[in-house]
Amino acid sequence: MIKLLIVDDSALMRRQLKTIFQAEGDFVIEVARNGEEAVELNKRFEPDIITLDINMPQMDGLTALSLLMAERPVPVVMVSSLTEKGAISTFEALNLGAVDYIPKPDGTISLSITEIEEEIIAKVRAAAGAHLKKSRGLAARIRGDLSVSKVTGAAPPKRSTLRVEQGARNDGLVIIGVSTGGPRTLEDILPQLPGDFPWPVLVAQHMPPSFTRPFAERINQLCALDVFELQRPMPLEPGKICIGRGGADMVVMRRANRLMVSTRPESVQHLWHPSVELLGESVLQHCEPQRVIGVLLTGMGYDGAEAFAELKRRGARTIAESEQTAVVFGMPAELIKRGGATKVLPMERVAEQIMQWVNAG
């Protein structure tokens, strides 16, 4: 049995979520109306997984999350509104240690939660077995050196110690696929790439439409490279990190013998969006595999595994994040199972390996 704590100030949301998980038959459920009750029940009920609303009276979700992680760390899935403000709060929650988030389709009180019932169940089940990552600066926040309410936005930029060697070619491409646990993981990997990194980087991170622009802006604050959300067709440019837009897919194409990256409406043939598999298929069609590096990071499911495995078979170099650091060892595990991983590496060694391959030509 999985012990689940549902935390929401809305009686309707508590009832809806409880009904969904009671129907599964293998959940023991407790509910809390606010952050204070959540902190107490985390110690008394000892849940395996918590769903936590962000906007609550008495104690908001971010404050509660920081206390939960300090007193008894547990996998947490945030319940977030589909707004840019909700996105920013969600990224801060992920930075504090939350595993994933559930978007409310109708805002604060969702009357159509059943529309995403399968997604909610899948995310909570995946998070229940997730690998927790320590939050940067959490101890300082809890001690009171910094208030949680003041710790918003991205962390200060990191200075990369990696260097591009003279003579490194600039005709390659890096593609990255990631899902659950991705924002925190990308915040650790992408800032390690130096400012003179010579290849374009395309990132397919599963996210809803209103989240990808603030996420790209957040990552841009951390990186020496320019980071942006893909809005329209554009040439692949060295040293640019392009985040696929939520609510669409991202593909590579060739126009007038020039490689471009573009958005397209979500493909009904693929379950997750922006689709990693579709990105990989387009790279197979238009790029020389020997000049491609594919990286498959944390995430549930198998998105991208087959396309990345085929890229490796045709000469590309690929990295699967290891179980040691993956929040959810789903997507990288599927790549490994298909024999598609040139290297299996923990998160902290991914950027270094990319640089080694780029410098090797």
Side-chain angles (χ1 to χ4, degrees):
M1 300 293 283
I2 301 171
K3 297 172 72 175
L4 168 65
L5 174 60
I6 297 169
V7 187
D8 202 297
D9 66 319
S10 163
L12 175 60
M13 279 296 296
R14 293 196 301 272
R15 185 166 62 250
Q16 287 177 320
L17 289 172
K18 186 173 182 179
T19 299
I20 287 171
F21 287 103
Q22 280 179 331
E24 289 293 291
D26 61 342
F27 283 87
V28 178
I29 304 166
E30 288 280 357
V31 297
R33 296 170 296 177
N34 55 54
E36 291 179 352
E37 290 185 5
V39 172
E40 177 58 32
L41 278 169
N42 185 43
K43 292 182 285 189
R44 181 158 47 88
F45 177 52
E46 296 186 343
D48 301 309
I49 175 72
I50 297 175
T51 66
L52 179 62
D53 191 17
I54 289 180
N55 299 309
M56 296 181 294
Q58 292 182 267
M59 182 186 290
D60 65 88
L62 292 181
T63 304
L65 178 62
S66 67
L67 294 172
L68 292 170
M69 290 304 175
E71 296 179 2
R72 180 184 174 271
V74 60
V76 175
V77 176
M78 306 303 295
V79 180
S80 171
S81 60
L82 276 172
T83 63
E84 289 201 3
K85 182 178 179 181
I88 292 169
S89 296
T90 300
F91 296 140
E92 179 57 19
L94 296 173
N95 198 44
L96 281 165
V99 171
D100 205 350
Y101 56 90
I102 299 167
K104 291 183 180 179
D106 293 329
T108 304
I109 299 177
S110 175
L111 299 177
S112 56
I113 200 76
T114 53
E115 294 178 4
I116 58 169
E117 184 174 325
E118 290 185 7
E119 177 185 359
I120 291 171
I121 294 168
K123 286 192 171 189
V124 168
R125 286 192 180 279
H131 172 83
L132 290 180
K133 293 185 177 182
K134 293 182 179 178
S135 170
R136 302 186 206 92
L138 179 57
R141 294 172 187 162
I142 302 306
R143 288 196 307 267
D145 298 341
L146 296 170
S147 71
V148 173
S149 63
K150 291 171 65 178
V151 185
T152 57
K158 297 179 179 179
R159 184 178 297 275
S160 174
T161 59
L162 302 175
R163 294 290 179 264
V164 177
E165 295 179 4
Q166 188 174 2
R169 293 170 59 177
N170 64 355
D171 59 345
L173 172 65
V174 177
I175 57 173
I176 299 175
V178 61
S179 184
T180 310
R184 280 285 312 278
T185 301
L186 291 171
E187 283 186 26
D188 285 326
I189 292 174
L190 295 178
Q192 295 185 53
L193 300 179
D196 57 350
F197 188 76
W199 293 12
V201 180
L202 304 180
V203 179
Q205 159 74 66
H206 299 161
M207 272 187 180
S210 56
F211 277 44
T212 44
R213 187 174 69 83
F215 177 60
E217 292 172 353
R218 179 183 178 92
I219 295 291
N220 188 52
Q221 294 178 44
L222 296 170
C223 292
L225 299 172
D226 289 334
V227 184
F228 58 93
E229 179 198 48
L230 181 63
Q231 293 285 345
R232 58 188 179 276
M234 59 176 294
L236 289 178
E237 297 183 37
K240 304 286 187 181
I241 300 175
C242 177
I243 307 291
R245 180 163 56 90
D249 286 324
M250 175 169 57
V251 294
V252 172
M253 61 177 65
R254 191 175 290 274
R255 287 185 181 172
N257 206 34
R258 187 173 189 184
L259 283 175
M260 310 278 292
V261 60
S262 180
T263 63
R264 67 167 54 172
E266 290 184 356
S267 167
V268 296
Q269 296 177 329
H270 299 89
L271 296 175
W272 301 279
H273 306 279
S275 170
V276 184
E277 188 71 18
L278 187 58
L279 173 61
E281 289 171 356
S282 70
V283 169
L284 277 164
Q285 186 175 357
H286 296 290
C287 301
E288 181 184 349
Q290 289 80 5
R291 307 303 304 156
V292 173
I293 295 174
V295 182
L296 208 53
L297 301 171
T298 175
M300 62 181 179
Y302 52 85
D303 191 24
E306 188 55 46
F308 279 42
E310 183 61 28
L311 277 165
K312 178 180 179 289
R313 285 191 284 269
R314 297 191 192 181
R317 292 161 288 187
T318 59
I319 299 171
E321 184 179 1
S322 69
E323 188 173 9
Q324 173 188 344
T325 60
V327 174
V328 177
F329 190 54
M331 287 161 52
E334 289 292 334
L335 180 61
I336 295 167
K337 185 191 303 183
R338 289 165 169 77
T342 308
K343 296 278 187 179
V344 179
L345 298 172
M347 172 192 67
E348 59 269 15
R349 291 183 54 197
V350 170
E352 179 185 3
Q353 184 60 62
I354 291 171
M355 289 303 305
Q356 286 180 12
W357 283 336
V358 168
N359 285 328

